[in-house]
């Protein structure tokens, strides 16, 4: 005898894609002329297109923000037997005591980007709340498949925690943060920190995170051929990272955190995603499973939003709301 109600989602037909927010639709029409659907906009290892908002190169002057931050780069030990890892360190110039820190992992579909990618958004949060930012550069797929990228990120996190006093960082208030592929890596590093006995993390800020290599959710099917990062793009990114293992049973949760069967004992999470993007359903499911495991999670599904909308269309009302929600969550978290 069945003891639970059937899940309608198991049998419901998949409808058409949700409509885009009107402001975002106008922005997307311009963006897809430069960044075609079905690809990352660059071959593996190449620099993303500069004329897409949020993808322009970030200079030292951009990072310093008129003297608000002191900027340094450090090469620190990587995983055993692997090259050193580069950390970009931005600390509030006026800080006289240890500050909380965002440990940032950049996006780029596992294949592109560097430790300056996505930093303007991180520094917006840091400047408002008086935080430091430590951004890690990890080796990219397919040149370095799993576990290289996530092990680089974990090595940088361990070094940051171990050298917190030297950096002027409060080791008890480290929040791991990332968007897209960086959000997936941030979730994976959080799992690793729990399973390997540290470093202790205060929170995880996961922005449209890339979590599931199986690429078979209703939203993945709905968004085929539509938007910035569709099902074909997603397959390319995961295949670059995992090769023939993609979609099989032989995938670690440290590669694809949606594979984790135990989400207990993790720090508070913020997860946001667009309603009109590939990652919608895997991100909603991850938040639901965090709650089911007894964890704390805040979930936002932004109506009509495409992947990466808040960085690529920053002036849209829904983008402003999304950035504000991240700030409010982080301020509330750090007040506890």
């Amino acid at each position: 005898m069945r003891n639970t109600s059937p899940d309608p989602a198991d049998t419901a037909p998949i409808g058409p894609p949700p409509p885009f927010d009107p402001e975002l639709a106008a922005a997307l029409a311009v963006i897809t002329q430069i960044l075609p659907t079905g690809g990352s906009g660059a071959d593996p290892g190449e620099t993303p297109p500069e004329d897409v908002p949020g993808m322009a190169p970030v200079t030292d002057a951009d990072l310093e923000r008129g003297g608000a931050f002191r900027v340094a780069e450090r090469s620190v030990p990587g995983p055993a037997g692997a090259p050193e890892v580069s950390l970009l360190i931005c600390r509030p110039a006026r800080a006289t005591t240890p500050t909380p820190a965002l440990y940032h992992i950049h996006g780029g579909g596992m294949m592109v980007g560097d430790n300056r990618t996505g930093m303007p958004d991180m520094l917006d949060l840091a400047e408002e709340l008086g935080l430091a930012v430590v951004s890690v550069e990890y080796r990219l797929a397919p040149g370095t498949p799993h576990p290289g990228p996530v092990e680089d990120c974990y090595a940088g996190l361990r070094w940051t925690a171990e050298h917190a006093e030297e950096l002027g960082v409060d080791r008890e208030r480290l929040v791991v943060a990332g968007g897209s592929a960086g959000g997936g890596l941030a979730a994976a590093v959080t799992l690793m920190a729990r399973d390997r006995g540290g470093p202790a993390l205060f929170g995880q800020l996961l922005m449209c995170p890339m979590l599931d290599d199986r690429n078979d959710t209703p939203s993945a099917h709905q968004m085929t051929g539509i938007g910035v990062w569709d099902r074909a793009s997603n397959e390319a990114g995961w295949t670059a990272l995992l090769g023939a293992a993609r979609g099989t049973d032989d995938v670690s949760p440290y590669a694809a955190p949606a594979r984790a069967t135990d989400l207990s004992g993790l720090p508070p999470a913020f997860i946001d995603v667009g309603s009109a993007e590939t990652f919608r359903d895997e991100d909603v499911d991850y938040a639901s499973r965090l709650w089911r495991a007894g964890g704390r999670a805040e979930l936002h599904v932004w109506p009509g939003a495409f992947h990466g909308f808040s960085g690529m269309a920053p002036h849209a009302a829904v983008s402003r709301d999304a950035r504000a929600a991240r700030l409010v969550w982080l301020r509330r978290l750090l007040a506890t």
Side-chain angles (χ1 to χ4, degrees), residues 21 26 56 71 109 112-113 124 152 154 182 184 189 193 195 208 236 321:
D21 170 89
V71 179
V112 299
D124 285 345
D152 287 351
Y154 183 69
V189 162
D195 297 344
C208 54
D321 290 347

Side-chain angles (χ1 to χ4, degrees), residues 7-179:
D7 184 352
D10 291 340
T11 56
I14 299 173
F20 289 115
D21 170 89
E23 283 186 287
L24 295 182
L28 185 61
V30 175
I31 291 167
T32 53
Q33 297 300 310
I34 307 163
L35 194 69
T37 299
S40 66
D43 290 328
E46 287 188 358
T47 303
E50 298 178 9
D51 41 2
V52 174
M55 291 189 175
V58 178
T59 67
D60 284 351
D62 294 330
L63 297 171
E64 290 165 359
R65 298 205 165 188
F69 291 94
R70 293 195 177 96
V71 179
E73 295 195 57
R74 295 284 298 269
S75 292
V76 306
E84 290 186 324
V85 171
S86 175
L87 297 179
L88 177 65
I89 302 161
C90 299
R91 187 168 186 273
R94 293 188 178 89
T96 57
T97 58
T99 66
L102 295 171
Y103 182 78
H104 175 242
I105 304 175
H106 71 80
M110 303 291 182
M111 299 180 290
V112 299
D114 59 32
N115 58 13
R116 297 184 177 222
T117 304
M119 279 295 285
D121 285 346
M122 291 297 102
L123 291 175
D124 285 345
L125 296 171
E127 193 166 8
E128 182 72 24
L129 299 176
L131 313 178
V133 181
V134 178
S135 188
V136 61
E137 182 137 337
Y138 55 90
R139 290 168 292 167
L140 299 170
T144 302
H146 178 77
V150 71
E151 291 289 358
D152 287 351
C153 295
Y154 183 69
L157 175 65
R158 284 191 56 190
W159 186 93
T160 299
E162 291 166 359
H163 293 79
E165 184 175 357
E166 172 189 341
L167 297 175
V169 163
D170 181 354
R171 78 178 70 235
E172 303 300 321
R173 289 178 177 256
L174 283 173
V175 177
V176 65

